[in-house]
Amino acid sequence: MKSLVVIGLVLGVIGSITAWFLSFEGYLPGDAMVRTWATAKDRTGGDDEPNDTWVVGDVAVRSRFDAVTGFGLADGQDGKKLWEFVPPGRTRICGSARHAGEGVLLVAYGREGAAAGGGKPGSPGEGEGCSTVLAVDTKDGRQLWSAPRTVSDGRFLGDEFLDTGGGLALIHDDQAEQVVWRPGGDPSLRALDLRTGAARWTAAVPGGCGVRDAFVGEEQVQAVLVCGGEEAGAPGSGGGGGGGGAELMAAAFDRGTGALKWKVPIDARRPVPADSDVVVESADPLVLRVVRSENQNAGTSTGVFVAFDQDGRPGTSIELSGDHGQIDAAEVVGERMYALAWTYAKGRHYRLIAFDLKSGEEVWNEELDEPAAGLAVRGDRVTVLCEWSTQSSAITELLVYDARNGEELDERHFRQEAPSGSFFEHGGTIVVAGAAGDRAFTAFERW
């Protein structure tokens, strides 16, 4: 009798271990993510930046230096290539809008090199820089319109100078460099009709300032400006040489007319130098991630997230690194910021944290079993993809949480290897974007 009990216990242990292994490897129904299709592998060779991705309706779009391509997501299409735009001649894709939710994607192309009187060229011969903006219908790849972009230097200086929203195509011409606005630069921030390309307005950029970054918000256009400097030009000139004294400012323009609504220092106590790292995390509300130049080489970033209201008044800031750990990624939805943060103790240990933007306090905090690779917030759900280790480049686990209280709603394990990149949700399918040189998109469904 005892032997039968022992055999039963042994079989129970073996069964439990087997079930755990099958679940962890994605071989049990209700626990798995199974690959349903993948696009063909990318062409290799050449410069592969930028490499941006979007999912708009039933089309996944990938933009890289040599082409913009649309892949089908509708039933039966399984990632089939639907259309492709290849920039003409020896030009290359050098910029793209961050948003394409209205079915129109803005991309820019040009040929890099020194403009007349410019510095050392980025490639042989004189280039026109990133000087042509093209609007593409994401459904079928139709070219809706194109417009010139003013650049005073043939070099490619950053790739974030386009945005869309509220029926507008937003273009800022010469981008402000890190230190100060360039002599002879054009500080224009222009809005065109998203579907036709017709001019709507040119923003009233303050004199002595250039546009570093701009976003179309629901009620106004939010911007980060570079203003001043030792040799800043006269008001209205937008010119200036040298770099001392230039600082970054937050600003907003009327979405209907381009009139300046407000311009305020990012930090009311001391200037944020123009060579600091300032990123627009959200336009509604305006949330900036700020890492001052003197802190950029620190072992852990010592910056802050700063939220502004619609009138430019700054709210409570959230430390990039604090008691909650080091924030790797964040997404703002409404009055909350959802963040992935880690602390180190014989390896990185991650948490998913919801912050209240008005108070700066944590609303909820959930520990993750595996290192986090990315998150997305859709409606009242927060989805997190995790890796086996921080040295891994493959996704192994999907977790879903209730955005209101942090309750875990779903846990799934990937049966096949998933690339570590940005991801999208489309009709219950998880579409993962691959890195340059990999498959553009891979789709997984729950099983």
Side-chain angles (χ1 to χ4, degrees), residues 45-376:
D47 187 353
D48 56 7
E49 294 295 338
N51 188 55
D52 297 319
T53 54
W54 307 261
V55 167
V56 188
D58 287 332
V59 182
V61 182
R62 189 276 313 275
S63 172
R64 60 177 231 165
F65 76 102
D66 58 351
V68 183
T69 312
F71 302 89
L73 301 180
D75 290 342
Q77 292 183 330
D78 294 342
K80 175 185 176 183
K81 182 190 291 188
L82 301 179
W83 54 264
E84 188 167 69
F85 165 75
V86 177
R90 295 186 176 181
T91 61
R92 52 157 285 187
I93 304 293
C94 47
S96 54
R98 285 155 294 199
H99 303 106
E102 296 180 62
V104 178
L105 174 65
L106 298 186
V107 296
Y109 62 88
R111 188 161 70 93
E112 187 173 21
K120 184 178 180 180
S123 58
E126 183 175 309
E128 71 275 16
C130 206
S131 57
T132 302
V133 176
L134 178 69
V136 178
D137 190 309
T138 58
K139 185 176 182 179
D140 53 20
R142 284 185 301 120
Q143 299 174 34
L144 301 176
W145 52 266
S146 64
R149 174 174 174 262
T150 302
V151 291
S152 60
D153 195 299
R155 294 172 296 165
F156 292 162
L157 299 171
D159 61 1
E160 294 185 343
F161 46 81
L162 302 170
D163 197 26
T164 65
L168 296 180
L170 192 68
I171 303 172
H172 47 104
D173 289 293
D174 264 335
Q175 217 171 357
E177 290 189 281
Q178 283 191 326
V179 178
V180 73
W181 188 237
R182 295 192 303 279
D186 183 348
S188 295
L189 177 65
R190 296 178 288 138
L192 286 66
D193 184 276
L194 184 58
R195 301 295 305 189
T196 68
R200 289 281 191 90
W201 48 256
T202 298
V205 178
C209 295
V211 181
R212 169 74 68 82
D213 204 355
F215 260 89
V216 182
E218 292 181 1
E219 297 183 17
Q220 53 195 17
V221 172
Q222 316 280 22
V224 176
L225 305 180
V226 179
C227 298
E230 287 179 350
E231 300 177 38
S237 69
E247 71 168 301
L248 298 176
M249 311 282 284
F253 300 90
D254 187 279
R255 207 173 76 167
T257 66
L260 180 67
K261 299 186 71 173
W262 49 262
K263 176 173 74 76
V264 299
I266 293 175
D267 186 336
R269 292 186 174 272
R270 60 192 181 106
V272 175
D275 54 351
S276 299
D277 183 17
V278 176
V279 176
V280 180
E281 294 284 349
S282 164
D284 297 298
L286 176 62
V287 178
L288 303 179
R289 173 165 53 85
V290 183
V291 180
R292 291 175 175 274
S293 52
E294 60 265 29
N295 297 329
Q296 290 185 44
N297 294 323
T300 57
S301 296
T302 54
V304 295
F305 294 89
V306 183
F308 296 81
D309 67 16
Q310 289 296 92
D311 297 317
R313 290 185 293 266
T316 303
S317 61
I318 298 171
E319 298 291 332
L320 194 59
S321 180
D323 292 340
H324 50 262
Q326 170 73 41
I327 295 178
D328 261 0
E331 187 166 336
V332 176
V333 178
E335 295 179 353
R336 287 190 181 180
M337 183 178 82
Y338 301 88
L340 294 173
W342 59 270
T343 54
Y344 190 87
K346 295 183 179 179
R348 290 188 177 188
H349 299 271
Y350 278 79
R351 288 183 174 275
L352 174 63
I353 307 172
F355 291 95
D356 183 282
L357 287 174
K358 288 187 175 180
S359 67
E361 299 296 323
E362 294 183 15
V363 180
W364 52 260
N365 183 324
E366 291 294 326
E367 185 175 0
L368 306 177
D369 293 331
E370 309 293 345
L375 83 161

